[in-house]
Amino acid sequence: MQVAASIFKAYDIRGVVPATVTEDVAEAIGKAFGTLALAQGETAVAVGRDGRLSGPSFSAALMRGLAAAGIEVIDVGMVTTPMLYFAANTLCNSGIQVTGSHNPKDYNGFKMVMAGRAIYGDDIQAIRAMMEGETWALKDGGSVRTEDVTAAYQARIVSDIKLARPMKIVVDCGNGIAGATAPAVFRAIGCEVTELFSEVDGNFPNHHPDPSKPENLQDLIKALQAGDAELGLAFDGDGDRLGIVTKEGQNIYPDRQMMLFARDVLSRVPGGTIVYDVKCSQRLAPEIEAAGGVPLMYKTGHSLIKAKMKEVNSPLGGEMSGHIFFKERWYGFDDGTYAGCRLLEIVSKAPDAGVLLNSLPTSFSTPEINVPCAEGEQHTAVAALIKAAHFDAPAKISTIDGVRVDWPDGFGLIRASNTTPVLVLRFEGQTQAALDRIQADMLVLLRSVKPDAVFAAPAH
């Protein structure tokens, strides 16, 4: 079949509806995934979908394809991506979530788990090759049954989380799928919850469900200032990422959340390896070491971090984008609701959550900056940057994912996005002067290989 090459991303399959993603594409993904799953001895696959308008027809087509390949399909309905992962940990070992994540409303896509691991890279290309060649194997014996995991999912979290005191919070789900379940989970662990935009609506009428963008937190900040809640929590479109805002309107970025989570987890798993991505603050590693852990910086990408965590038996991982992965007391997958519960458990032990969160080490930093590129150009640019990067001591250069240069007073990062044709830049300094110097030095490096570089705010 003819299928747009652009939809096969590094960690998922995703595109614009109906230009590149259609019901035919969804059904073909089902046939290919089902064939590959059966070859690995996987007979059952759970299927969920977020609140996007094309979700019902796409999940139906996907399930038709899986059943045609001989798979026992477990339809868990409209759920967050983490709830689909939960189903793929408790009902079976494989699953597909139909989700556009935090992309604009005309997007949809597929996040996949096969035999207990998030598939990415070559696995996704194998699905693409099978779809293009229609080399799948169709079999009798496929079936579809429905199962509701909501009660089991909530019960599992409630059995794990213990708040030291009741807490008042505001929860902004941005009309994403988290609105259907997250507020109830927070109430069940003992919170008084003020809800913003919990109604699931794939038109996203209020603001985009992406807490990594400060403009999407303005409603949450206003609600905190107007009421007497202690903390605000915000979720992305499919519920796997978390944003945290204090009563004073401070955004507690995920790398600072990780400092708190690392201290907590390492109190029970001394010596554990904590995995985080190259976008995270330079302040994180010393905090992990001070808490008795081993910091391990790795490539950006939720599938890549999960794979590295398995490899080194890590109890906790996190990304600057807001994906937090708990293996200790949980399943190792990223879940905004569960991460929010873990955060509330920790801060409930303090008399004032804001004071505790604001005391976490911080630096002067830029938001993520994107440099638009031609398709594929971002990867050739990074290869050239790696060759061109020469900085005098005490600068330390890491090329694990792009070029990250650490100085004693801050760092600069230029990496290639795996999902869109852009270079991703991030700069941090322990003082404003350090930040300005580092940014200037890194931009000289960038312009040496891409003189026409222009900056854009990150797109959705």
Side-chain angles (χ1 to χ4, degrees), residues 95-363:
I96 303 178
Q97 175 79 347
V98 180
T99 175
S101 189
H102 60 282
N103 283 91
K105 65 181 183 181
D106 55 344
Y107 278 71
N108 214 336
F110 308 85
K111 289 184 179 176
M112 297 165 283
V113 176
M114 191 180 293
R117 59 184 197 94
I119 68 169
Y120 61 93
D122 291 345
D123 300 310
I124 289 175
Q125 292 306 315
I127 291 172
R128 173 187 173 182
M130 189 170 281
M131 289 168 67
E132 287 174 341
E134 299 186 21
T135 53
W136 46 63
L138 303 187
K139 276 188 172 168
D140 292 337
S143 61
V144 179
R145 65 181 169 90
T146 58
E147 185 133 355
D148 188 344
V149 296
T150 307
Y153 171 77
Q154 180 172 310
R156 173 66 177 77
I157 295 177
V158 171
S159 71
D160 179 71
I161 299 290
K162 301 284 178 282
L163 296 192
R165 60 183 173 86
M167 294 194 67
K168 284 187 180 178
I169 61 172
V170 182
V171 174
D172 183 346
C173 296
N175 300 107
I177 186 59
T181 49
V185 171
F186 291 120
R187 288 193 179 99
I189 66 164
C191 292
E192 188 179 314
V193 181
T194 300
E195 297 182 43
L196 296 180
F197 317 131
S198 294
E199 185 187 344
V200 179
D201 182 345
N203 288 306
F204 307 128
N206 294 289
H207 63 74
H208 204 71
D210 183 358
S212 67
K213 307 284 186 297
E215 65 267 24
N216 296 324
L217 299 173
Q218 294 312 305
D219 292 310
L220 185 57
I221 289 168
K222 281 183 197 140
L224 284 163
Q225 288 166 346
D228 60 350
E230 210 173 335
L231 211 57
L233 288 78
F235 298 95
D236 74 335
D238 65 333
D240 58 7
R241 294 188 298 134
L242 170 71
I244 293 286
V245 178
T246 66
K247 173 90 182 141
E248 301 76 39
Q250 282 290 108
N251 185 353
I252 306 297
Y253 285 99
D255 50 0
R256 292 178 79 201
Q257 295 172 31
M258 281 291 291
M259 298 172 188
L260 202 62
F261 291 141
R263 290 176 195 167
D264 178 58
V265 168
L266 289 165
S267 71
R268 293 180 297 275
V269 190
T273 297
I274 309 298
V275 183
Y276 58 95
D277 79 321
V278 293
K279 291 197 228 172
C280 285
S281 171
Q282 191 181 59
R283 304 264 194 179
L284 178 54
E287 286 292 311
I288 292 168
E289 288 170 340
V294 179
L296 178 60
M297 186 169 73
Y298 197 56
K299 300 173 184 178
T300 293
H302 67 95
S303 300
L304 305 178
I305 296 280
K306 277 183 264 204
K308 180 54 82 172
M309 285 177 68
K310 274 193 173 174
E311 182 192 317
V312 300
N313 194 26
S314 165
L316 173 70
E319 287 190 284
M320 191 64 193
S321 60
H323 293 276
I324 309 284
F325 314 87
F326 288 94
K327 186 71 175 102
E328 189 246 3
R329 292 166 45 184
W330 193 241
Y331 302 92
F333 60 73
D334 37 335
D335 185 340
T337 300
Y338 181 73
C341 289
R342 288 285 288 253
L343 184 107
L344 291 167
E345 181 181 77
I346 297 166
V347 300
S348 73
K349 295 171 188 166
D352 187 320
V355 170
L356 173 60
L357 291 168
N358 286 323
S359 72
L360 295 168
T362 189
S363 291

Side-chain angles (χ1 to χ4, degrees), residues 41-58:
E42 292 289 304
T43 57
V45 176
V47 172
R49 58 182 164 87
D50 70 10
R52 285 173 185 262
L53 305 177
S54 56
S57 62
F58 282 5

